[in-house]
Amino acid sequence: MCGIAGVLHGSASARPMIETLTHRGPNGVRTEQVRGGSVAHARLSIIDLEGGWQPLHAAGGTVIGNGEIYNSVELTAEFGLADELSTGSDFEPLLHLYAKEGPAAFQRLRGMYAFCLIGGDGRTWLVRDPFGIKPLYVLEQEGAVYFASEPRAFAALLDAELDEDRARELLAFNYTLTGDTIFKGLKRLAPGEIVEVVDGKLQAPTHRSFLSSPVHGGGGPAQPVEGAASSAAPSLAPSTTLRAVPLPRYAGEEELVDQLDAVLEDSVRVHQRSDVPYGLFLSGGIDSAAIATLMSRLNTRPVTAFTCGFDAPGARDERAQAERVARALNLDWRETRFDEADFWRILPQVAWALDDPTADYATLPTYKLAEAAKGTLTVVLTGEGGDELFGGYGRYRKALRPAWLGGRPAEPRPDDAEALARWRAQARAPASLTRLQQAQWADIATWLPNDLLLKLDRCLMAHGLEGRTPFLDPRVADFAFLLPDRFKVRGRYGKWLVRKWLERVCPAADPWARKQGFTVPVDAWIAPRAADLAERIGKVEAVRRVRTPDAVRATFVGGGAERWPLLFFAVWSLVHLEGASPEDALRQAAGTI
């Protein structure tokens, strides 16, 4: 994982842009002039530590990328590329495939990635992976296209002007929705977008769906059960349609459990490919327990696992359950604690790291875990995506109820009507999907890339760590998303098939325990300072543009749900709009802690 930046069809150097991203690539920076522009790469060495420096040149083309292409080994073997490669980088085979197939080569990739490829055919491409695991931001200005891994790289090109609609979305949903960022003029590529750059202009994008396994590389996807729906699936463009999913005659449940085992093991195996130490973040939930189970199976040495617990009255603390799983799997288990002092110390650091903001309070323990893992691990596997693909959220069960039992679409309920209308437009799923699939699709299109994966990327990259998500793999998606609803949600249980599998392979995970949900006791730490916070935050310029001082006071003194989002947004805006240091931003928004 790395940071990338570039200027296409412009005379400026990408060097100033990449210098802002050295936290993403602590092993070194390289900048090169290329045909029609400049590209730069800040490297976090994961694969081919000596030879994998970028930009890479082969087959008449150039590529710089952020992320990992997990099936590069299989693609190299299948297309007989071994004798043509000069490095062991997972990105070099892409250049040779592009020389053979053009942009069709992008459909063969299995991984998490954001890259710029300048082909030997003279065409230039910007590409983001189908789930949006890795970020990519773009700016068109004065006949040139600028791109980078984080908004901070554009600081010298933008006036850091706040988009108030995006700010209201942040307060309504805890994340922003569309391709427009919270900075006016700066956009992000959507998950799966493939965009050609021609004469300094971004062309109309095409998309690769989060479904659809690579046709080549790695032995092909697991065989579908009899009668399964086609894996031709929607892209993340809201206008895309999908043919009706038939009611299939599936194999028995035990056979599906066997297939799930094979699919997940295959994904974890390729996600472990690394020339540096790897481990995982282990919560008390079944998603991370599933990853831990397979890592334990695939490794001869104990796998290192980090768990965060909360030292606060009434907090949901998952350490005891995580420890039971760790002991059953013989993990090298390490716990870290999060208390009120951590909250006030880490808040401004998280605000700095999340230059594209998400007000999800789960950023706080994620940052603390990354802080704890730094120096021990370089690659961390996590459980993001399990709920979205296998139907784990309680709102999915509500989506399946008949109307007379309170069934309703699984959508957020913010007070901001305009923000909700924008969410509905962005999350509009194909009508041919089942109600459960529509709810899953909406989360995969909005919440997953713009909240959960953004959180993981920024909090880990702030510490020079690479986060990997084995559930968010096209072969896992092919298997999971198209399962009949009854294998996802049954009675009061979500992720039915995953629970059945864990019951077999890791009963210590207690797979039939009621899902607790994840909470951070932020309100307990904010409440004693509520009156002072209301006074201070109500004076912050960015806050005043979207909330009146009276509304801020009512939220903090009355215990409203926006307490944490407003506090985060105030500190974030002082850092990224007014140029304050993280420490000064906290003092201005919250006083002396």
Side-chain angles (χ1 to χ4, degrees):
M1 188 177 305
C2 307
I4 62 174
V7 184
L8 303 174
H9 298 276
S11 59
S13 170
R15 185 79 187 193
M17 299 178 72
I18 205 66
E19 291 289 356
T20 69
L21 303 178
T22 54
H23 55 285
R24 298 185 71 91
N27 296 116
V29 166
R30 291 191 176 179
T31 305
E32 288 186 13
Q33 295 301 120
V34 294
R35 183 175 62 245
S38 172
V39 295
H41 191 264
R43 189 181 187 204
L44 174 62
S45 301
I46 303 291
I47 302 291
D48 188 5
L49 305 186
E50 297 297 325
W53 290 86
Q54 299 185 29
L56 289 164
H57 307 283
T62 299
V63 68
I64 57 168
N66 167 31
E68 305 290 341
I69 297 174
Y70 298 124
N71 65 336
S72 62
V73 174
E74 289 79 11
L75 290 169
T76 296
E78 181 170 354
F79 289 89
L81 301 177
D83 292 339
E84 301 181 51
L85 301 180
S86 59
T87 75
S89 169
D90 51 309
F91 272 87
E92 187 182 352
L94 172 59
L95 287 169
H96 296 276
L97 289 176
Y98 182 85
K100 296 176 185 293
E101 300 183 333
F106 305 151
Q107 305 298 328
R108 302 191 184 279
L109 303 182
R110 181 185 186 188
M112 57 175 191
Y113 47 81
F115 62 79
C116 173
L117 185 145
I118 303 171
D121 58 1
R123 303 177 76 181
T124 299
W125 301 90
L126 297 173
V127 181
R128 192 179 182 198
D129 70 75
F131 282 104
I133 304 170
K134 302 314 324 158
L136 191 57
Y137 298 85
V138 292
L139 173 68
E140 293 182 90
Q141 190 176 90
E142 297 180 353
V145 171
Y146 300 79
F147 67 89
S149 297
E150 296 183 10
R152 72 183 78 248
F154 301 87
L157 302 166
L158 290 170
D159 294 329
E161 184 178 354
L162 180 72
D163 186 322
E164 294 179 15
D165 284 341
R166 303 289 87 73
R168 292 186 181 94
E169 288 171 1
L170 178 69
L171 297 177
F173 305 111
N174 289 341
Y175 59 91
T176 59
L177 294 173
T178 68
D180 296 321
T181 71
I182 203 166
F183 300 102
K184 283 189 176 179
L186 184 64
K187 297 182 180 295
R188 52 190 173 204
L189 260 64
E193 267 194 359
I194 300 168
V195 184
E196 187 174 7
V197 181
V198 177
D199 296 330
K201 296 290 185 181
L202 296 169
Q203 304 303 295
T206 58
H207 292 78
R208 177 182 167 186
S209 168
F210 66 85
L211 293 180
S212 176
S213 291
V215 177
H216 296 276
Q223 292 299 311
V225 291
E226 182 181 359
S230 166
S231 64
S235 79
L236 296 181
S239 61
T240 302
T241 59
L242 177 68
R243 70 179 180 82
V245 177
L247 295 176
R249 181 172 62 83
Y250 268 81
E253 190 170 87
E254 288 304 307
E255 183 179 345
L256 286 178
V257 170
D258 291 340
Q259 291 195 27
L260 174 61
D261 186 277
V263 167
L264 289 182
E265 181 181 302
D266 174 64
S267 182
V268 171
R269 179 183 289 109
V270 299
H271 279 72
Q272 288 186 160
R273 288 178 171 168
S274 170
D275 294 333
V276 293
Y278 56 81
L280 79 150
F281 287 167
L282 179 67
S283 71
I286 65 176
D287 295 330
S288 63
I291 304 302
T293 299
L294 292 165
M295 292 183 75
S296 178
R297 179 192 298 178
L298 293 168
N299 290 272
T300 56
R301 294 183 179 180
V303 176
T304 302
F306 285 85
T307 299
C308 186
F310 299 103
D311 289 337
R316 292 176 178 173
D317 193 332
E318 300 179 315
R319 280 175 290 184
Q321 176 59 20
E323 184 175 11
R324 282 193 292 272
V325 171
R327 290 186 181 279
L329 298 175
N330 191 34
L331 305 180
D332 176 9
W333 183 67
R334 309 182 187 192
E335 65 172 305
T336 186
R337 300 181 180 186
F338 194 107
D339 58 20
E340 183 175 3
D342 288 314
F343 173 71
W344 295 109
R345 176 180 66 85
I346 287 176
L347 164 58
Q349 301 302 322
V350 165
W352 177 88
L354 289 161
D355 56 347
D356 187 357
T358 169
D360 186 339
Y361 51 51
T363 55
L364 300 166
T366 303
Y367 190 95
K368 181 71 184 287
L369 280 168
E371 190 177 61
K374 183 178 182 179
T376 301
L377 303 176
T378 307
V379 171
V380 178
L381 275 64
T382 71
E384 271 81 4
D387 283 310
E388 289 79 8
L389 286 177
F390 287 93
Y393 295 126
R395 58 182 176 270
Y396 295 161
R397 297 194 294 278
K398 292 178 182 178
L400 289 178
R401 294 175 186 167
W404 62 275
L405 284 178
R408 58 176 176 80
E411 62 179 33
R413 294 291 183 185
D415 295 330
D416 190 324
E418 291 184 6
L420 180 58
R422 287 192 295 271
W423 181 90
R424 286 171 174 160
Q426 187 74 4
R428 187 171 62 248
S432 54
L433 298 178
T434 70
R435 289 175 63 185
L436 174 56
Q437 288 174 327
Q438 288 179 7
Q440 293 175 271
W441 194 94
D443 281 341
I444 291 169
T446 58
W447 153 322
L448 187 63
N450 298 343
D451 184 322
L452 300 184
L453 296 175
L454 182 65
K455 167 204 71 178
L456 186 69
D457 176 81
R458 296 302 202 279
C459 290
L460 269 66
M461 288 306 329
H463 297 90
L465 301 182
E466 173 169 290
R468 296 183 178 181
T469 53
F471 280 109
L472 297 178
D473 178 84
R475 297 184 182 174
V476 177
D478 282 345
F479 176 84
F481 190 83
L482 298 172
L483 284 170
D485 292 350
R486 67 183 181 277
F487 291 113
K488 300 173 188 174
V489 175
R490 194 174 301 183
R492 65 184 181 92
Y493 294 107
K495 290 186 287 197
W496 176 269
L497 196 66
V498 178
R499 293 177 191 272
K500 293 293 291 185
W501 171 73
L502 269 178
E503 183 181 56
R504 177 199 293 180
V505 299
C506 186
D510 197 9
W512 299 105
R514 182 181 292 273
K515 182 179 176 68
Q516 292 189 26
F518 184 78
T519 59
V520 180
V522 294
D523 209 52
W525 297 322
I526 291 173
R529 306 177 60 87
D532 186 49
L533 288 170
E535 184 69 20
R536 291 175 175 276
I537 289 172
K539 295 177 181 178
V540 173
E541 174 60 25
V543 174
R544 291 175 66 89
R545 291 176 63 178
V546 293
R547 293 291 185 271
T548 66
D550 286 345
V552 172
R553 188 177 303 108
T555 293
F556 278 92
V557 176
E562 280 192 357
R563 269 181 174 177
W564 158 250
L566 277 170
L567 172 58
F568 171 82
F569 177 59
V571 176
W572 178 91
S573 70
L574 291 167
V575 171
H576 296 287
L577 300 179
E578 299 189 25
S581 70
E583 295 76 16
D584 287 345
L586 180 65
R587 279 192 290 270
Q588 186 173 337
T592 302
I593 303 300

